[in-house]
Amino acid sequence: NAGVTQTPKFQVLKTGQSMTLQCAQDMNHNSMYWYRQDPGMGLRLIYYSASEGTTDKGEVPNGYNVSRLNKREFSLRLESAAPSQTSVYFCASSEGWEDEQFFGPGTRLTVL
Amino acid sequence: DAKTTQPTSMDCAEGRAANLPCNHSTISGNEYVYWYRQIHSQGPQYIIHGLKNNETNEMASLIITEDRKSSTLILPHATLRDTAVYYCIVRVGGGATNKLIFGTGTLLAVQP
């Protein structure tokens, strides 16, 4: 099992550009999450999907959109990237809402 | 959500027990204590969680005080690979509103 995979691993964007971060899990988990981590800080929840077909905002959703494409995949889209969105983005999944979360390796995004 | 307070950093000698404290004085009766760790540049990794009773698994032990206002994560025989940031998190059990709220954690440095 690959667990949680994220693509790309690194990305550099110019202000105003758009992109989609991809996340997939092969553990048949119901819940999936997107976090961002800024230097020296803990993770902050952007969006989550408690189950297939549902998505909800987390702590810092502004500037982002998500799509739960199917049970395996949960993508994060930046429509118009801003320098404040420079961060490391982590995707996670869990079997159920209260279960332990498994994290992907992260995507390091720089917005110039 | 209840907040947690952890020391910014701690040192531990290799082979000795590492005891990481966490204060959560405003914890509610239905809030669980979770511990995750993050090794440099990687996604966080689940360690253990508990509600009232002490818990032990293959990675660590979790000691929760009787009044539940504080807890201690114990790594019984720390190795260099245990050097990481350790996050103590409280979350409400049940329902779609419970989420992990990461603080800044404790940087544990295991010294040879």
Side-chain angles (χ1 to χ4, degrees):
Chain A
N1 285 352
V4 179
T5 57
Q6 294 183 235
T7 56
K9 291 186 177 179
F10 301 93
Q11 184 70 50
V12 178
L13 294 177
K14 295 181 179 178
T15 297
Q17 286 185 317
S18 62
M19 79 160 295
T20 300
L21 281 64
Q22 306 287 352
C23 174
Q25 52 91 8
D26 62 2
M27 296 173 282
N28 201 36
H29 285 171
N30 292 304
S31 302
M32 298 186 73
Y33 317 80
W34 276 105
Y35 294 87
R36 62 176 287 174
Q37 185 174 32
D38 300 321
M41 297 182 65
L43 280 72
R44 291 184 293 171
L45 183 65
I46 305 171
Y47 270 93
Y48 62 97
S49 171
S51 60
E52 186 179 359
T54 69
T55 61
D56 283 288
K57 296 178 180 179
E59 293 178 82
V60 288
N62 291 344
Y64 305 95
N65 285 300
V66 291
S67 295
R68 185 74 184 266
L69 304 170
N70 47 55
K71 193 171 185 179
R72 290 187 63 250
E73 298 172 289
F74 189 39
S75 63
L76 178 72
R77 182 160 179 84
L78 287 70
E79 290 292 350
S80 179
S84 61
Q85 294 179 303
T86 293
S87 190
V88 181
Y89 291 84
F90 289 101
C91 177
S93 71
S94 62
E95 182 172 355
W97 184 242
E98 299 172 20
D99 297 315
E100 65 181 275
Q101 294 183 19
F102 293 81
F103 285 80
T107 293
R108 283 148 184 80
L109 175 67
T110 300
V111 183
L112 302 175
Chain B
D1 294 329
K3 294 186 176 179
T4 62
T5 304
Q6 299 177 253
T8 302
S9 63
M10 294 181 63
D11 288 343
C12 177
E14 189 177 19
R16 304 295 294 268
N19 296 284
L20 290 88
C22 180
N23 286 324
H24 31 79
S25 58
T26 60
I27 194 170
S28 299
N30 61 346
E31 289 186 319
Y32 288 76
V33 179
Y34 281 73
W35 284 84
Y36 282 73
R37 73 180 183 182
Q38 187 174 24
I39 297 171
H40 181 63
S41 299
Q42 299 181 18
Q45 176 189 25
Y46 166 82
I47 301 173
I48 198 167
H49 75 281
L51 182 62
K52 296 180 181 178
N53 301 321
N54 298 337
E55 302 288 343
T56 296
N57 62 21
E58 64 277 5
M59 289 183 67
S61 295
L62 175 60
I63 308 298
I64 303 174
T65 57
E66 192 169 343
D67 63 8
R68 303 188 68 242
K69 293 181 184 245
S70 65
S71 60
T72 301
L73 178 74
I74 301 172
L75 307 179
H77 306 287
T79 70
L80 298 178
R81 288 173 297 189
D82 292 321
T83 292
V85 177
Y86 287 77
Y87 297 101
C88 170
I89 303 161
V90 295
R91 68 181 288 183
V92 179
T97 57
N98 74 74
K99 298 177 281 290
L100 295 179
I101 306 295
F102 286 80
T104 52
T106 296
L107 174 59
L108 174 68
V110 180
Q111 309 290 346

